[in-house]
């Protein structure tokens, strides 16, 4: 297998993991999630493009900005299978309601949603829709691409610096160091942010800050990362980015 074929397989794995697109099956040798980690942010480019298209079409059809933003959120949830939405709900339930590390992890594994999870989703998704609606026609493709990419790069960052909190699950499957993925994603995130000028760079810096805070919280309260930690980090950093751009744009 050539290096190009290996990279395409890794990208394929990332598309299967992070979206509900009909991507088919990976044939032959299947790359590990650690090997495919570099591709997570690049799948974010695809997601950002599709969500922008949904927003743009609704806007072009005459929908009010807030309604177009709600349509874009619907497209995002359907496209990702609510993967990160579920992660945010489970993570906040665990951190908010758990007595200790074991209890928090137990709550996060439970498929039911509690009051902390409901509150977190209402606030986070409400800010997401309100922010994009406030930006209106200025919420262009570059903003969707930058945020889609960078928010998924934050997952790569946590995978690189935190240990898995459990002995099973996605955290263990994606365990291992991938410094080139960290470097490639970081350079690309800065490059995309530059297209938005000072607003993009400030937004990226704040996304990094909130990721560091969530990483510190996860390490302190549950011992490391899980799939829920990664999902919560992606959605919170994405929402915060839109909130910041609603101020700048």
């Amino acid at each position: 297998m050539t290096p190009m074929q290996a990279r395409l397989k890794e990208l394929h794995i990332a598309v299967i993991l992070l979206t509900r697109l009909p991507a088919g099956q990976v044939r032959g040798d299947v790359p590990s999630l650690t090997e495919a980690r570099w591709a997570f942010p690049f799948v974010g480019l695809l997601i950002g493009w599709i969500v922008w298209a949904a927003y743009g079409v609704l806007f072009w059809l005459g929908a009010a900005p807030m309604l177009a933003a709600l349509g874009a959120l619907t497209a995002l949830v359907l496209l990702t299978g609510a993967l990160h939405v579920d992660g945010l709900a489970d993570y906040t339930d665990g951190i908010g309601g758990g007595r200790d590390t074991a209890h928090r992890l137990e709550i996060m594994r439970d498929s039911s949603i509690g009051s902390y999870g409901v509150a977190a989703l209402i606030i986070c998704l409400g800010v997401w829709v309100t922010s994009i609606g406030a930006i209106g026609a200025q919420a262009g493709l570059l903003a969707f691409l930058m945020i889609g990419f960078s928010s998924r790069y934050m997952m790569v960052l946590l995978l690189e610096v935190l240990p898995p909190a459990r002995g099973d699950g996605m955290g263990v499957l994606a365990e291992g160091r991938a410094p080139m993925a960290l470097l490639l994603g970081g350079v690309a995130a800065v490059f995309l942010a530059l297209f938005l000028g000072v607003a993009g760079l400030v937004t990226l810096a704040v996304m990094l800050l909130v990721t560091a805070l969530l990483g510190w919280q996860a390490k302190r309260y549950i011992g490391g990362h899980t799939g829920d930690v990664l999902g919560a980090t992606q959605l919170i950093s994405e929402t915060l980015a839109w909130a910041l751009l609603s101020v700048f744009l």
Side-chain angles (χ1 to χ4, degrees):
M1 184 167 55
T2 66
M4 178 59 72
Q5 289 173 324
R7 301 296 84 75
L8 288 174
K9 278 195 172 185
E10 290 158 9
L11 180 60
H12 192 178
I13 288 290
V15 170
I16 292 172
L17 176 68
L18 297 179
T19 78
R20 292 299 179 265
L21 293 171
Q25 296 181 336
V26 179
R27 301 188 182 280
D29 294 333
V30 178
S32 68
L33 290 182
T34 303
E35 293 170 323
R37 186 185 300 172
W38 69 269
F40 291 0
F42 291 92
V43 174
L45 289 178
L46 175 61
I47 294 171
W49 182 83
I50 294 174
V51 175
W52 165 81
Y55 180 75
V57 166
L58 288 169
F59 210 89
W60 178 75
L61 289 173
M66 207 68 71
L67 181 59
L70 184 58
L73 177 62
T74 303
L76 176 66
V77 170
L78 292 175
L79 181 60
T80 61
L83 180 66
H84 307 306
V85 173
D86 180 70
L88 175 61
D90 288 344
Y91 180 68
T92 50
D93 274 336
I95 295 299
R99 296 184 302 271
D100 51 35
T101 297
H103 190 220
R104 293 181 190 111
L105 288 171
E106 181 184 349
I107 292 174
M108 289 166 64
R109 178 161 276 172
D110 189 344
S111 60
S112 60
I113 183 171
S115 56
Y116 285 103
V118 171
L121 291 182
I122 291 173
I123 294 169
C124 191
L125 299 182
V127 171
W128 197 101
V129 170
T130 303
S131 298
I132 296 179
I135 297 171
Q138 291 181 285
L141 176 59
L142 282 176
F144 279 92
L145 293 180
M146 179 267 183
I147 291 174
F149 183 97
S150 298
S151 61
R152 286 161 183 82
Y153 175 69
M154 301 304 149
M155 299 193 301
V156 175
L157 188 59
L158 287 189
L159 282 168
E160 189 68 24
V161 301
L162 289 182
R166 293 193 183 100
D168 59 357
M170 179 185 168
V172 173
L173 294 176
E175 174 61 3
R177 295 291 172 257
M180 286 306 298
L182 197 65
L183 178 61
L184 175 64
V187 170
V190 172
F191 180 76
L192 288 167
L194 283 171
F195 280 103
L196 296 176
V198 174
L201 292 173
V202 171
T203 298
L204 180 60
V206 175
M207 292 172 77
L208 288 167
L209 177 60
V210 75
T211 297
L213 291 173
L214 287 168
W216 169 83
Q217 183 184 55
K219 183 68 170 66
R220 178 180 180 183
Y221 287 99
I222 60 173
H225 66 72
T226 67
D228 290 331
V229 173
L230 302 179
T233 300
Q234 187 281 319
L235 188 56
I236 290 172
S237 62
E238 177 176 358
T239 301
L240 181 59
W242 281 120
L244 287 170
L245 288 184
S246 73
V247 174
F248 284 113
L249 297 182

